[in-house]
Amino acid sequence: MALRVLTALDHARTQIYHFKAIMIAGMGMFTDAYDLFCITPVLKLIGRIYYKPDGPDPGVTPPEVMSAMVAVALMGTIIGNLVFGVLGDRIGRRRVYGLSLLLMVSSSFACGFSICRTRGCVLSSLCFFRFLLGVAIGGDYPLSATIMSEFANKRTRGSFIAAVFSMQGFGILASSAVTMAVAAAFNGATKDSDISPLHTPEGADLAWRIILMIGAIPAALTFYWRMAMPETARYTALVEHDEIKAANDMGKVLGDFDLQQPVVEHSDASRRLPGPTYGLFSKQFLRRHGRDLFACSMAWFLVDIPYYSSTLFQFQIYRPWFPEAGERNAYEEAIDLAKFQAILAAASTIPGYFATMYFIDRIGRRRIQMMGFFFMAIFIFAMAGPYDKYWHDHTNAGFLVLYGLTFFFSNFGPNTTTFIVPAELFPARFRSTCQGISGAAGKVGAMIGAVGFLWASQSSNKKDLQEGWRPGIGMANALIILGGVCIVGMVVTYFFTTETMMRSLEDNEGGESHHGENGVQLHGKGLPRNTSNSSELSTRPLRGWTPWASPL
């Protein structure tokens, strides 16, 4: 029965419920992006309100406060990935899914509430609730990826998981739209005599709170559907060992779920059930899955360093295109920053997601990940080379194009594939946990990029530093290092990353003995018993196969 359930899932036609699952799981990614990206214009408003509100210059949030706000959210994300990843394997994906959503809704609302109105109290409470929000966001990563991978059929699984992740792009657009709408409404409702570039009205303290609170709405709207989702059939059959319940659950949501098709026609018939009996910290797990876990974690770690360090040169792009801070009021500054984020998302981020959705099940995860790392390195080096002699002192659309292409190929590349591959490689009993470990490694890289490189990229000349910053290695040197990180990511992908395209999740589990896509039995170090069928093997690099002999 279990074999028939898994085979029917792998070969089920694409149905309306698959798209419903994308929306339910994707709304978590949507909310994640909203909450993470709206904080930048919010910090602009907070700086105007709580730092030198009536001084000779507009108030600016100190870099220590900005770094702390980013770091606590990322630290929470690391913890959320690990904790909810383990819970997803221990007590079930669906049960934990609702818990992470409740935490996301409550902490998002609490970020705007933030208890009091004195500077110290507001910033402390905001950091605390941003940490809880980070935990919820981190928990959503392994659960969304795992649930979507276990619901999807093997032909379109990559596109479906990529579609879930692509909701981040629309979350960025939503955060920008809400920020512009709220700021414009408050700006229009404020009398001209009460607002000027050097004076921020009291209403701005309410505006940023509303922006943050609105982030709770989309997540709250999907709570019912998340709780109404059945547990994934793979978890029920392979972890809880209840094949009848798994079949009944899938029959309720997939209209033509067929358990009568002959199983022996597919390689799925030779799956080994029940699942593995070894533990996560055992030598057997390390031998069977250690390489894959290293590849997933390291690739995610490496891509998040340049991806989250994009704040290093954002100001270089939007600053020349908008008036100076002293020439516009607090609302206008927030609107301009949100407008820049929206343009960037529409022009490069979202197209990158869509490109991955289209090509992921055609050319494979491994090729896309290598290509993305390669082009990210090329464009980052292109920004770094002439930075001190040209980009730093000139307003040029070329820098904006290079910046946008870097984002495009990060999303049409490792930023998306690192979310997909861990959800496809590991046994059901470890799938959510290993996805969480990989995601946590990525957020460690994000902290290095968003906080460490932000400080390191400052000019070594104290005269060029803005107030609160300390001398660093300079922007050009920081960009060269980031380009080098991308090259390392490409190398790691080439030598260690496993291709998972068009293979069932059970076949992707790896190990010393598993079955190829067309039923070819693999033994020992992954060599085919029948070499005459080797042309029919999937593109997965075989254990012990010389990696440099593999195709891109």
Side-chain angles (χ1 to χ4, degrees):
M1 172 67 78
L3 291 175
R4 292 185 180 275
V5 170
L6 302 182
T7 300
L9 280 171
D10 281 336
H11 299 278
R13 67 177 180 84
T14 301
Q15 301 177 45
I16 293 178
Y17 187 79
H18 287 119
F19 296 100
K20 182 178 179 181
I22 289 173
M23 293 303 299
I24 296 172
M27 197 52 63
M29 295 290 107
F30 178 96
T31 306
D32 298 347
Y34 180 99
D35 291 325
L36 289 176
F37 279 84
C38 73
I39 194 63
T40 304
V42 161
L43 285 176
K44 290 291 184 182
L45 291 174
I46 289 177
R48 294 278 195 136
I49 297 167
Y50 294 106
Y51 292 92
K52 301 179 182 178
D54 296 305
D57 298 312
V60 177
T61 304
E64 295 88 351
V65 176
M66 295 178 63
S67 298
M69 205 69 66
V70 172
V72 295
L74 292 175
M75 182 61 70
T77 307
I78 294 172
I79 295 174
N81 267 287
L82 296 174
V83 172
F84 281 90
V86 172
L87 291 177
D89 285 332
R90 293 288 181 87
I91 63 177
R93 287 72 157 119
R94 187 186 70 84
R95 296 185 185 95
V96 184
Y97 213 24
L99 179 60
S100 69
L101 191 68
L102 281 177
L103 181 59
M104 191 182 300
V105 171
S106 58
S107 56
S108 182
F109 181 82
C111 282
F113 191 64
S114 289
I115 303 175
C116 47
R117 295 187 60 186
T118 60
R119 184 172 70 186
C121 184
V122 165
L123 294 177
S124 298
S125 60
L126 184 56
C127 281
F128 174 74
F129 292 124
R130 290 282 296 175
F131 171 80
L132 293 181
L133 180 60
V135 173
I137 290 174
D140 202 70
Y141 272 70
L143 297 173
S144 293
T146 300
I147 287 174
M148 197 66 245
S149 71
E150 293 182 344
F151 269 123
N153 60 60
K154 65 180 182 180
R155 298 185 308 277
T156 58
R157 185 178 60 236
S159 297
F160 284 174
I161 305 176
V164 170
F165 197 63
S166 72
M167 295 299 289
Q168 285 193 337
F170 296 100
I172 298 172
L173 283 181
S175 71
S176 300
V178 169
T179 299
M180 288 187 286
V182 172
F186 274 79
N187 192 32
T190 304
K191 296 180 181 179
D192 294 338
S193 58
D194 295 335
I195 187 170
S196 70
L198 300 181
H199 173 70
T200 301
E202 189 174 353
D205 193 54
L206 178 61
W208 70 263
R209 296 173 187 273
I210 292 176
I211 293 171
L212 292 179
M213 287 181 177
I214 289 176
I217 296 177
L221 292 176
T222 60
F223 180 75
Y224 170 78
W225 286 277
R226 280 204 180 188
M227 298 310 298
M229 290 179 70
E231 183 57 84
T232 67
R234 282 186 162 90
Y235 182 85
T236 305
L238 298 177
V239 181
E240 295 182 335
H241 304 295
D242 191 343
E243 295 85 358
I244 296 177
K245 184 177 185 300
N248 290 336
D249 286 343
M250 289 304 96
K252 294 176 182 177
V253 296
L254 299 179
D256 62 348
F257 190 68
D258 184 12
L259 295 181
Q260 304 304 318
Q261 58 180 305
V263 183
V264 294
E265 294 180 2
H266 310 291
S267 66
D268 311 316
S270 54
R271 291 173 177 144
R272 303 180 310 278
L273 293 174
T277 57
Y278 49 86
L280 180 66
F281 299 103
S282 65
K283 292 182 179 180
Q284 195 171 3
F285 176 89
L286 182 63
R287 174 164 48 84
R288 289 174 177 265
H289 310 292
R291 176 191 176 195
D292 287 334
L293 186 56
F294 167 79
C296 293
S297 301
M298 183 57 67
W300 207 331
F301 170 81
L302 291 171
V303 70
D304 273 6
I305 293 177
Y307 186 80
Y308 279 83
S309 64
S310 60
T311 52
L312 298 181
F313 36 93
Q314 257 191 19
F315 78 95
Q316 176 67 18
I317 299 172
Y318 68 73
R319 185 177 62 180
W321 302 91
F322 297 113
E324 294 292 332
E327 301 175 4
R328 51 187 172 159
N329 62 48
Y331 299 129
E332 292 169 341
E333 188 176 13
I335 290 172
D336 289 341
L337 183 53
K339 187 186 302 181
F340 171 78
Q341 290 183 336
I343 293 172
L344 183 64
S348 62
T349 302
I350 294 177
Y353 288 132
F354 284 171
T356 301
M357 290 168 56
Y358 182 80
F359 288 106
I360 190 72
D361 290 314
R362 290 174 168 83
I363 63 178
R365 290 78 162 134
R366 186 166 172 265
R367 289 186 178 96
I368 289 177
Q369 187 163 302
M370 290 182 61
M371 177 198 67
F373 270 126
F374 174 77
F375 282 108
M376 285 176 68
I378 293 298
F379 294 123
I380 290 176
F381 284 141
M383 289 187 289
Y387 184 85
D388 288 333
K389 295 183 179 179
Y390 188 78
W391 299 126
H392 182 65
D393 297 321
H394 293 75
T395 301
N396 196 301
F399 195 85
L400 178 61
V401 172
L402 292 174
Y403 182 69
L405 287 171
T406 303
F407 262 90
F408 175 82
F409 280 103
S410 64
N411 292 309
F412 182 32
N415 189 47
T416 304
T417 56
T418 52
F419 179 78
I420 296 172
V421 174
E424 299 180 308
L425 271 180
F426 302 98
R429 194 158 63 89
F430 304 123
R431 187 167 292 133
S432 179
T433 299
C434 292
Q435 172 81 13
I437 292 173
S438 302
K443 291 306 171 281
V444 173
M447 289 187 67
I448 295 174
V451 179
F453 270 89
L454 185 60
W455 285 85
S457 64
Q458 300 303 308
S459 173
S460 57
N461 189 347
K462 293 184 178 180
K463 296 180 181 180
D464 296 333
L465 296 175
Q466 295 181 346
E467 183 180 355
W469 294 99
R470 299 176 183 175
I473 62 176
M475 184 71 75
N477 291 330
L479 290 174
I480 291 173
I481 295 174
L482 292 173
V485 169
C486 293
I487 295 297
V488 174
M490 184 180 67
V491 172
V492 168
T493 301
Y494 184 73
F495 284 102
F496 296 100
T497 298
T498 296
E499 182 57 72
T500 59
M501 180 177 64
M502 299 299 291
R503 296 171 58 90
S504 70
L505 294 180
E506 288 66 46
D507 286 338
N508 276 333
E509 291 178 8
E512 292 184 327
S513 176
H514 61 285
H515 298 274
E517 176 63 24
N518 294 288
V520 181
Q521 176 70 36
L522 305 180
H523 290 274
K525 293 184 177 181
L527 301 177
R529 172 191 292 175
N530 183 357
T531 55
S532 64
N533 291 332
S534 60
S535 62
E536 298 181 355
L537 288 172
S538 73
T539 55
R540 174 186 174 96
L542 303 180
R543 305 291 191 222
W545 193 26
T546 306
W548 48 84
S550 61
L552 292 179

